[in-house]
Amino acid sequence: MDALNVSLSFFLATITLCQAARRASKALLPAGAYDSFAREAVGAAQLGACCLELRLLVELGPWAGGFGPDLLLTLLFLLFLAHGATFDGASANPAVSLQEFLLAEASVPSTLLKLAAQGLGMQAACALTRLYWAWELSDLHVLQNLMAAHCSSALRTTVPRGALVEGACAFSFHLTLLRLHSSLPVYRVPAVALLVTVMAYTAGPLTSAFFNPALAASVTFHCSGHTLLEYAQVYWLGPLTGMVLAVLLYHGHLPRLFQRNLLYSQKNKYRTPRGKLAPGPGDTQMSAEGRRVREPGQRRVGQQPLGPSGHALCERPVRARSLAGSQDR
């Protein structure tokens, strides 16, 4: 339990120091510099330091400290809750920054600054965390220093399968981010933390479920077992491919590259009735006039026949009788 208490103290101190640096940079720097560089650098440093310490617990904790997977998954969930609450809008993930660029939500200079800040933040986290391990505050840190020269690779499967796993994790992660983009943080942060925990449980034994190119490059690219090209295929190409597929599935196109929707057709919001159109006022008037016009000799049902002059045949006897009656009088 002493090693666990030391790690918990490290998590708390890291989040507190990064939050102080975040507030100081927000107060001193312009808004553009803070949003594009400082915020991302501090968020990447916080994420990298916490993930390194947590990876130490995952690798050495079960047999050196007696930590079970339930404890480690709970720590992961709580850490991502803390990250979501303190990041102040930062992603600390190059794939998310490139997603914002493809969605035309960020410019080219802003995206490049974010990528540089994320890389610098991860490298700073690795240097500071190794310096902290050198103090050997717990037995796990002593073991870590002894094994530092022979770190184990996070990729414990074949390269194609690892790329597929990382791509699937990134696809699920980015699709969730797109779906919850307009949701309140009180709902979005726990949902993302739960998703990360589930993916770490399912894909962790294969690739450690990074789906973050900067984090994977800082944590496992220097370990032996695979070449740099193989690591790049799994931890860079896989997540970026999953991100692009998630954007295509959600939006149907890449707004930065083209506007035409490739997957979904644009429906007209005004529906055209499928039944027979009702006659208008003009149609009713024309049909009435058409019924009035008849050919000579035609008659309707119940109408008296017409003579050659167009008068009813029965009108003449009646008129003749009326004239005869007037003469007798």
Side-chain angles (χ1 to χ4, degrees), residues 99 170-180 246-247 249-250:
Q99 172 187 305
F171 176 80
S172 303
F173 178 72
H174 288 276
L175 193 62
T176 303
L177 290 182
L178 291 170
R179 181 64 181 85
L180 301 178
V247 174
L249 180 63
Y250 189 81

Side-chain angles (χ1 to χ4, degrees), residues 100-111:
E100 295 174 354
F101 173 74
L102 291 179
L103 293 176
E105 297 177 356
S107 61
V108 176
S110 176
T111 303

Side-chain angles (χ1 to χ4, degrees), residues 40 80 83-84 87 89-100 103 105 118 168-185 187-196 199 210-212 239 242-243 246-247 250-251:
E40 292 292 335
F80 269 87
H83 295 334
F87 267 16
S91 64
N93 190 337
V96 177
S97 299
L98 292 176
Q99 172 187 305
E100 295 174 354
L103 293 176
E105 297 177 356
Q118 291 160 1
C169 291
F171 176 80
S172 303
F173 178 72
H174 288 276
L175 193 62
T176 303
L177 290 182
L178 291 170
R179 181 64 181 85
L180 301 178
H181 179 70
S182 58
S183 302
L184 295 176
Y187 303 116
R188 183 175 65 253
V189 172
V192 173
L194 181 61
L195 176 65
V196 171
M199 289 191 296
F210 286 118
F211 51 89
N212 186 328
M243 178 269 294
V247 174
Y250 189 81
H251 289 284

Side-chain angles (χ1 to χ4, degrees), residues 84-148:
T86 59
F87 267 16
D88 194 23
S91 64
N93 190 337
V96 177
S97 299
L98 292 176
Q99 172 187 305
E100 295 174 354
F101 173 74
L102 291 179
L103 293 176
E105 297 177 356
S107 61
V108 176
S110 176
T111 303
L112 294 178
L113 279 176
K114 288 181 180 180
L115 296 179
Q118 291 160 1
L120 291 176
M122 290 294 178
Q123 294 300 322
C126 291
L128 294 176
T129 305
R130 290 190 177 93
L131 180 61
Y132 159 73
W133 287 342
W135 295 349
E136 297 183 353
L137 298 179
S138 68
D139 297 337
L140 296 182
H141 295 165
V142 176
L143 294 175
Q144 175 63 32
N145 292 331
L146 294 175
M147 300 170 58

Side-chain angles (χ1 to χ4, degrees), residues 14 164 230:
T14 300
L164 181 62
E230 291 175 341

